[in-house]
Amino acid sequence: MDIFIDLKVEKENIDVIKEMLPYTSEHIKNIVHIEDEDIIKVCCDEQYKAIVEESIGKLNELISDKFFKDKKISTVRIEDWTYKNVINSDDVFVKLQQTSEIYNTADGTFVYSGLPLKIFEYFNLKIDEYAKEAFADYSIKPHKVPALYSVDGYQKGGYFETFPHHIMFETTSVNNLENIEKFSKAGNFAEANIEIKKPKNILRTASCAPIYKYLENNIISEDTKDVYIVTGTCFRNEAENIKSLSRLNEFTMKEYVFVGSENFIEDSLNKATKLWEYWVKAFSLNSKMETATDSFFASKYQKLKLFQALGKSKVEFKCWIPAEDSYISCGSKNYHRTHFSSKYNIHYLNNSTLAQSACFAFGIDRLMYAFLSQKGTEIEKWDSSTVSEIKKYVDLD
């Protein structure tokens, strides 16, 4: 029998609690937020109540670290375009499923065709074209990166320390005739006694990871001005947080990656930010730009979150989804400082000065979804500025 466990949550922790709860126990069936009372109701089978309560207690302890309980962490609104009107409020996710222009192949993965694919291609092409203009005095280095990355490589980059809950592993069955025969004859794979190898690879959670490996043991000269344009399919275990096209297990991420001096990094990030501003003007996007913190799932959660917020090392570009009455992050600029350069021995000028690094990320799926959510799927209702911009890159006929 299903029961609900009521959690009284402090306002500043509601979002992160909601996001991290699905990872705390496999026995959690559903999570409901009662907004007026700041209560989160967690559903589970009655027989697992004690296990779920223990897991929730550990999560609460993690979030409410006593040393940081007096440190108020809040976002800072950098730019506000939330006053802009949108021409559509219908649920385009449902509509596109009905027209079969999107359809899923597994939990949190979708195929695109028709208009969604055209808008997806627009954003992909625009990001490349913008780089040619904004970084005309740079050396532009496009990279298409594979989905697989070694477990050892990800551990070296420090991803397991901060985002273990997002990791999705790649593996195979154990190579022996008996096991292969079990595999081939399994009528019900879920119940088949098939041996699986311990994973040696993971499915990347971000596109930029291979660049730091590529630059390992390098010294970046003072006159080096490179922008790596990195495109790849990324994977994140979103558990029960999967929602429409707002949060997926598989998605496309495109990034500008910069490595060099602090001044170079800051100048590069400022140039990249102009693309967000361009889209706001061209499409009249209801959006905002604000500082953010990642939902680190680690014992040093509060410390990492605090440092990220105070240092403004992460800024997100958030767009409104009218049908969901919520804002989703469609891009982010992430200033790593020397996090990756220290791990991969990347220096600037000489062997005693670590290089700085940053990435400017675009979630192509989310950009497409936010655009269509605000504009709708009837092109004849779009404003001329929007149609003109899209037609520069794709055929809307």
Side-chain angles (χ1 to χ4, degrees):
M1 184 178 70
D2 288 348
I3 62 167
F4 282 91
I5 301 170
D6 288 356
L7 304 179
K8 181 72 175 176
V9 182
E10 295 179 2
K11 282 186 180 294
E12 62 266 27
N13 288 333
I14 286 176
D15 288 342
V16 73
I17 288 283
K18 284 168 58 181
E19 181 173 343
M20 295 171 77
L21 268 173
Y23 302 101
T24 61
S25 173
E26 62 184 311
H27 302 300
I28 292 177
K29 292 184 175 182
N30 192 22
I31 298 165
V32 179
H33 177 208
I34 309 300
E35 296 188 19
D36 294 340
E37 303 176 37
D38 292 334
I39 289 177
I40 293 177
K41 300 177 79 69
V42 179
C43 177
C44 68
D45 192 286
E46 187 174 19
Q47 65 177 314
Y48 299 119
K49 180 183 178 183
I51 296 174
V52 171
E53 285 181 329
E54 182 180 1
S55 298
I56 291 172
K58 290 179 180 178
L59 175 62
N60 190 55
E61 185 178 331
L62 180 68
I63 300 299
S64 306
D65 184 287
K66 291 183 174 59
F67 184 78
F68 289 98
K69 67 180 181 180
D70 296 326
K71 306 290 185 181
K72 297 299 182 183
I73 303 169
S74 59
T75 59
V76 177
R77 187 76 56 85
I78 298 173
E79 296 286 354
D80 191 338
W81 302 291
T82 60
Y83 58 87
K84 290 185 176 290
N85 295 322
V86 300
I87 63 175
N88 176 72
S89 59
D90 293 338
D91 192 332
V92 297
F93 178 69
V94 171
K95 187 172 183 178
L96 292 171
Q97 285 183 304
Q98 291 172 343
T99 60
S100 297
E101 290 175 277
I102 64 171
Y103 57 93
N104 71 317
T105 57
D107 290 343
T109 65
F110 283 86
V111 175
Y112 307 138
S113 65
L115 184 59
L117 181 57
K118 289 181 178 182
I119 302 304
F120 182 97
E121 289 176 341
Y122 161 78
F123 282 109
N124 191 41
L125 293 169
K126 181 67 179 184
I127 294 164
D128 286 337
E129 191 63 28
Y130 177 81
K132 296 177 183 177
E133 302 170 8
F135 307 113
D137 58 336
Y138 287 33
S139 175
I140 296 176
K141 299 185 174 183
H143 282 62
K144 171 66 173 67
V145 295
L148 295 183
Y149 204 87
S150 72
V151 167
D152 290 345
Y154 241 53
Q155 189 163 15
K156 181 173 184 176
Y159 294 95
F160 289 156
E161 298 171 9
T162 50
F163 305 108
H165 57 305
H166 278 157
I167 301 295
M168 298 176 73
F169 293 93
E170 177 268 344
T171 188
T172 64
S173 63
V174 172
N175 292 328
N176 63 57
L177 291 177
E178 181 182 1
N179 200 50
I180 292 172
E181 187 175 13
K182 288 180 184 178
F183 202 137
S184 66
K185 294 181 178 180
N188 184 335
F189 182 79
E191 297 178 4
N193 184 24
I194 297 171
E195 296 180 72
I196 301 295
K197 288 182 181 179
K198 183 177 181 179
K200 291 185 178 180
N201 298 312
I202 61 98
L203 297 167
R204 275 183 310 90
T205 57
S207 292
C208 63
I211 298 301
Y212 312 114
K213 172 64 178 175
Y214 172 73
L215 293 173
E216 188 170 16
N217 298 323
N218 275 11
I219 297 177
I220 309 298
S221 64
E222 189 173 10
D223 59 350
T224 297
K225 297 179 73 174
D226 294 336
V227 53
Y228 298 89
I229 305 180
V230 191
T231 308
T233 302
C234 297
F235 301 81
R236 292 182 186 176
N237 169 28
E238 291 293 357
E240 302 306 314
N241 292 321
I242 294 169
K243 183 178 182 181
S244 60
L245 299 182
S246 296
R247 195 180 284 267
L248 300 170
N249 278 333
E250 178 181 343
F251 54 94
T252 298
M253 184 183 291
K254 204 174 187 80
E255 300 189 49
Y256 298 149
V257 181
F258 312 101
V259 183
S261 68
E262 182 176 352
N263 288 339
F264 171 69
I265 297 298
E266 291 182 353
D267 183 56
S268 299
L269 290 175
N270 287 336
K271 288 179 177 179
T273 304
K274 298 297 181 183
L275 179 52
W276 288 347
E277 297 170 359
Y278 177 86
W279 282 329
V280 171
K281 183 177 181 180
F283 301 142
S284 190
L285 286 178
N286 184 307
S287 55
K288 56 186 176 180
M289 195 190 308
E290 60 186 20
T291 60
T293 57
D294 290 307
S295 298
F296 294 110
F297 208 115
S299 58
K300 51 186 176 182
Y301 165 78
Q302 283 283 11
K303 183 177 180 180
L304 287 168
K305 184 176 180 182
L306 180 69
F307 288 170
Q308 195 178 59
L310 295 182
K312 294 183 175 62
S313 59
K314 186 179 184 72
V315 173
E316 291 183 332
F317 177 54
K318 294 184 173 182
C319 297
W320 189 40
I321 308 298
E324 299 175 9
D325 192 22
S326 64
Y327 286 83
I328 63 171
S329 175
C330 295
S332 65
K333 54 179 175 180
N334 308 276
Y335 196 168
H336 316 130
R337 292 182 168 75
T338 60
H339 173 82
F340 290 113
S341 60
S342 62
K343 294 177 182 298
Y344 288 96
N345 193 36
I346 307 169
H347 287 78
Y348 174 71
L349 293 180
N350 54 57
N351 280 322
S352 62
T353 304
L354 285 169
Q356 306 267 322
S357 75
C359 67
F360 197 98
F362 304 89
I364 308 297
D365 306 73
R366 288 188 180 188
L367 284 166
M368 175 268 285
Y369 181 49
F371 174 92
L372 290 176
S373 291
Q374 294 190 26
K375 297 296 181 182
T377 58
E378 299 174 76
I379 299 172
E380 62 273 15
K381 293 184 179 180
W382 295 1
D383 55 276
S384 58
S385 174
T386 294
V387 173
S388 175
E389 171 63 15
I390 299 296
K391 281 189 171 182
K392 292 176 186 176
Y393 299 89
V394 297
D395 183 4
L396 287 175
D397 298 329

